[in-house]
């Protein structure tokens, strides 16, 4: 690090632990890296669109509106900032989240609008359509 006071060390990551947990973990490293003052690090955590989509999906599954108890996408995002590992989910949930991100054009408001209009069924989740049930019944009858 130079003597220039405008330069500083920063730590940047996606999802994972909260800033508070990262600060706690980094406290054990104080003094271990020459020229780095752990107390003066800049902390930059980014919540990915996939993690935001997982939260929307979880809210809908729980019978709530996509934003849950939050009035805006920004409020839900702020809530995710206080949650460790918001990117974790079942393989099925992760698949649905990736699909929602694509369908919402990688935008929080786009994902919200898609779920409000189509629900989880629009992502391929939910009760099967009668035509699919009939096809499955016919294919089972043919195999017997």
């Amino acid at each position: 690090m130079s003597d220039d006071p405008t330069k500083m060390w920063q730590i940047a990551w996606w999802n994972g632990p909260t800033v508070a947990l990262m600060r706690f973990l980094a406290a054990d490293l104080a003094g271990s890296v020459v020229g780095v003052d752990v107390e003066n690090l800049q902390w930059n955590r980014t919540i990915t669109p996939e993690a935001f989509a997982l939260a929307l999906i979880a809210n809908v599954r729980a019978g709530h509106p996509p934003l849950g108890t939050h009035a805006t996408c920004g409020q839900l995002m702020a809530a995710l900032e206080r949650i460790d590992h918001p990117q974790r989910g079942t393989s099925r949930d992760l698949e649905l989240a990736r699909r929602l991100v694509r369908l919402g054009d990688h935008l929080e408001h786009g994902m919200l609008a898609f779920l409000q209009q189509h629900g989880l069924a629009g992502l391929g989740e939910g009760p099967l359509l009668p035509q699919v049930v009939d096809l499955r019944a016919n294919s089972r009858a043919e195999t017997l």
Side-chain angles (χ1 to χ4, degrees), residues 128-143:
L128 294 173
L129 298 172
Q131 304 92 317
V132 176
V133 174
D134 288 343
L135 288 174
R136 286 187 174 178
N138 289 338
S139 79
R140 281 192 197 120
E142 291 172 8
T143 59

Side-chain angles (χ1 to χ4, degrees), residues 52-73:
F52 186 82
L54 280 170
L56 293 175
I57 290 166
N59 285 332
V60 172
R61 277 218 179 108
H64 304 294
L67 291 176
T69 60
H70 307 286
T72 66
C73 291

Side-chain angles (χ1 to χ4, degrees), residues 22-119:
M22 288 292 281
R23 284 181 186 268
F24 174 77
L25 296 171
D28 289 340
L29 302 174
S32 64
V33 179
V34 176
V36 176
D37 180 5
V38 174
E39 294 298 318
N40 292 322
L41 287 172
Q42 181 180 2
W43 303 87
N44 296 310
R45 179 182 186 222
T46 301
I47 303 297
T48 61
E50 290 81 6
F52 186 82
L54 280 170
L56 293 175
I57 290 166
N59 285 332
V60 172
R61 277 218 179 108
H64 304 294
L67 291 176
T69 60
H70 307 286
T72 66
C73 291
Q75 288 177 353
L76 176 57
M77 188 62 78
L80 291 175
E81 288 287 346
R82 297 185 300 275
I83 296 173
D84 288 316
H85 303 284
Q87 80 284 2
R88 290 183 177 165
T90 65
S91 59
R92 177 66 178 154
D93 287 347
L94 293 170
E95 177 186 333
L96 292 175
R98 286 188 292 271
R99 192 173 299 156
L100 180 56
V101 168
R102 285 191 308 273
L103 292 167
D105 291 325
H106 298 263
L107 302 171
E108 296 161 8
H109 290 92
M111 291 183 268
L112 174 61
F114 182 89
L115 274 183
Q116 287 172 327
Q117 184 173 3
H118 304 287

